[in-house]
């Protein structure tokens, strides 16, 4: 059984492009030692050595898998973004779609890069692999949903498939579609409300993933973590309904200063209010009207899943 386990780790490393020659030699020596063992103590020594080799390969194998999945995500996001763009007539710039998964988003240094740099234990690398698989799954769903012409206020097949995949069919769940700039609230697989939102601008994307409500505040005041003078600074802002879905200040909340929500509002544009803070996407939060935020505040509770793709 231990030999079989060792070979499985070697296979995993090989599948992800890792160098396995040394480990394969160790496997052959371990196999020979067990075959030649004639006494209990000899078996014990051989098994101890084998288990040591198993322990030694685990983190390198998980590193190899992490690197392989990281490269896969980067390549897929880059290729899709080159073919699917948004031309902003307001500033005459063209942006790649799916940027939330790219270098400025979860695929960059602030998210995946930091997670990889801090990983030390086997459990750490297992979490990295799990997160990468989640982002790849959500990115595939985003691509599929992009060509779906179903109105934003109707149930979407990709929503339901993701909810089944993550086991969210028997509870309330909030789904945010980045490509549609829309939020849909489901209760046991049934759509109960849908409305348009504004998510993170290209430089400060809303992180895709499977998160959950970590806390609720009504009312509260948001204070900028950036110094005055930074392009991302904003004055102290009263918020009526704030629902944190990820640490470091990521909220679902009302943006009373905006008049427009929906497609294109995450890019630079002219909002009817004339408010300069309304003429661009959020800083990573999911913005909505005050009425919709009030409804959502009463719909969600602590640990309600928030699925963003």
């Amino acid at each position: 059984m231990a030999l079989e386990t060792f070979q499985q780790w070697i296979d995993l490393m090989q599948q992800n492009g890792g160098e396995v020659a040394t480990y394969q030699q160790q496997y052959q020596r371990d196999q020979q030692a067990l075959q030649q063992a004639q006494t209990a103590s000899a078996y014990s020594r051989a098994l101890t050595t084998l288990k040591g080799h198993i322990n030694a390969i685990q983190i390198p194998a998980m590193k190899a898998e992490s690197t392989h999945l990281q490269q896969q995500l980067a390549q897929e996001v880059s290729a899709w973004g080159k073919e699917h763009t948004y031309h902003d007539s307001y500033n005459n710039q063209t942006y790649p779609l799916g940027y939330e998964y790219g270098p400025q988003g979860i695929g960059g240094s602030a998210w995946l890069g930091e997670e990889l740099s801090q990983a030390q234990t086997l459990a750490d690398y297992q979490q990295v692999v799990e997160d990468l698989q989640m982002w790849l799954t959500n990115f595939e769903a985003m691509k599929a949903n992009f060509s779906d012409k179903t109105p934003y206020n109707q149930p979407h097949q990709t929503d339901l498939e993701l909810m089944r995949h993550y086991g969210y069919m028997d509870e309330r769940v909030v789904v945010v579609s980045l490509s549609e700039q829309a939020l849909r609230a489901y209760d046991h697989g049934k759509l109960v409300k849908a409305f348009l939102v504004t998510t993170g601008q290209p430089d400060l994307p809303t992180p895709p993933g499977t998160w959950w409500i970590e806390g609720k505040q009504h009312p509260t005041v948001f204070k900028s973590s950036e110094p005055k003078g930074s392009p991302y600074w904003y004055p102290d802002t009263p918020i009526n309904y704030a629902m944190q879905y990820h640490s470091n200040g990521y909220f679902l909340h009302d943006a009373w200063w905006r008049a427009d929500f929906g497609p294109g509002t995450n890019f630079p544009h002219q909002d009817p209010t004339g408010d300069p803070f309304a003429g661009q996407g959020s800083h990573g939060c999911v913005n909505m009207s005050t009425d919709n935020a009030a409804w959502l505040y009463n719909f969600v509770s602590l640990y309600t899943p928030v699925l963003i793709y």
Side-chain angles (χ1 to χ4, degrees):
M1 289 176 63
L3 280 170
E4 184 178 337
T5 298
F6 193 15
Q7 188 62 61
Q8 288 172 347
W9 280 105
I10 293 171
D11 292 344
L12 176 66
M13 193 164 187
Q14 190 170 34
Q15 289 164 12
N16 290 292
E19 177 53 54
V20 299
T22 299
Y23 297 110
Q24 200 63 61
Q25 291 171 2
Q26 290 175 345
Y27 175 90
Q28 292 168 354
R29 288 197 296 269
D30 291 337
Q31 185 181 45
Q32 186 177 27
L34 285 168
Q35 289 172 344
Q36 295 177 347
Q38 299 295 320
T39 64
S41 59
Y43 270 115
S44 180
R45 286 193 301 272
L47 191 56
T48 297
T49 301
L50 171 56
K51 288 181 176 178
H53 291 156
I54 293 172
N55 289 335
I57 194 178
Q58 292 179 352
I59 287 181
M62 295 301 287
K63 279 185 179 180
E65 185 173 13
S66 298
T67 300
H68 175 76
L69 292 173
Q70 180 185 22
Q71 292 171 346
Q72 180 183 344
L73 178 66
Q75 290 167 359
E76 290 186 12
V77 170
S78 176
W80 198 81
K82 287 177 182 177
E83 296 181 1
H84 301 81
T85 58
Y86 176 84
H87 181 72
D88 193 338
S89 58
Y90 178 79
N91 62 2
N92 201 33
Q93 291 200 29
T94 299
Y95 300 89
L97 295 177
Y99 61 81
E100 296 90 350
Y101 294 86
Q104 294 297 112
I106 52 86
S109 58
W111 287 88
L112 177 57
E114 184 175 356
E115 191 174 5
L116 280 168
S117 67
Q118 294 179 350
Q120 295 182 345
T121 67
L122 180 62
D124 291 339
Y125 282 103
Q126 287 172 331
Q127 185 63 58
V128 172
V129 167
E130 183 178 316
D131 288 345
L132 277 160
Q133 290 171 337
M134 170 185 66
W135 291 324
L136 282 163
T137 296
N138 286 25
F139 183 64
E140 288 300 315
M142 187 208 72
K143 291 194 296 182
N145 191 54
F146 183 78
S147 58
D148 187 343
K149 303 306 180 185
T150 304
Y152 80 88
N153 59 354
Q154 299 296 319
H156 279 234
Q157 187 62 33
T158 43
D159 295 356
L160 298 170
E161 289 174 356
L162 284 174
M163 287 192 290
R164 291 190 190 99
H165 176 79
Y166 292 116
Y168 294 159
M169 292 299 286
D170 296 325
E171 58 188 313
R172 290 183 172 185
V173 58
V174 175
V175 177
V176 177
S177 168
L178 297 168
S179 62
E180 297 172 86
Q181 292 292 288
L183 182 149
R184 289 182 284 272
Y186 290 85
D187 191 350
H188 287 71
K190 301 296 183 182
L191 181 66
V192 293
K193 192 173 180 65
F195 48 82
L196 297 174
V197 298
T198 296
T199 64
Q201 58 191 274
D203 288 342
L204 298 169
T206 294
T210 53
W211 316 120
W212 58 85
I213 298 298
E214 298 179 355
K216 298 167 63 178
Q217 300 174 42
H218 164 58
T220 187
V221 175
F222 282 2
K223 298 178 182 293
S224 178
S225 60
E226 297 291 329
K228 196 168 185 178
S230 164
Y232 306 126
W233 176 86
Y234 57 86
D236 290 359
T237 305
I239 300 295
N240 297 291
Y241 302 95
M243 297 145 276
Q244 183 167 301
Y245 68 87
H246 197 284
S247 56
N248 300 324
Y250 290 92
F251 288 83
L252 308 163
H253 68 83
D254 61 292
W256 47 264
W257 55 93
R258 296 184 187 273
D260 289 344
F261 299 90
T265 60
N266 50 321
F267 298 102
H269 63 283
Q270 180 64 53
D271 190 87
T273 64
D275 188 324
F277 291 101
Q280 55 194 342
S282 76
H283 290 183
C285 291
V286 178
N287 290 181
M288 61 201 72
S289 71
T290 302
D291 287 347
N292 286 331
W295 181 90
L296 190 65
Y297 193 89
N298 291 318
F299 176 77
V300 302
S301 55
L302 200 62
Y303 303 120
T304 297
V306 178
L307 202 167
I308 301 176
Y309 76 99

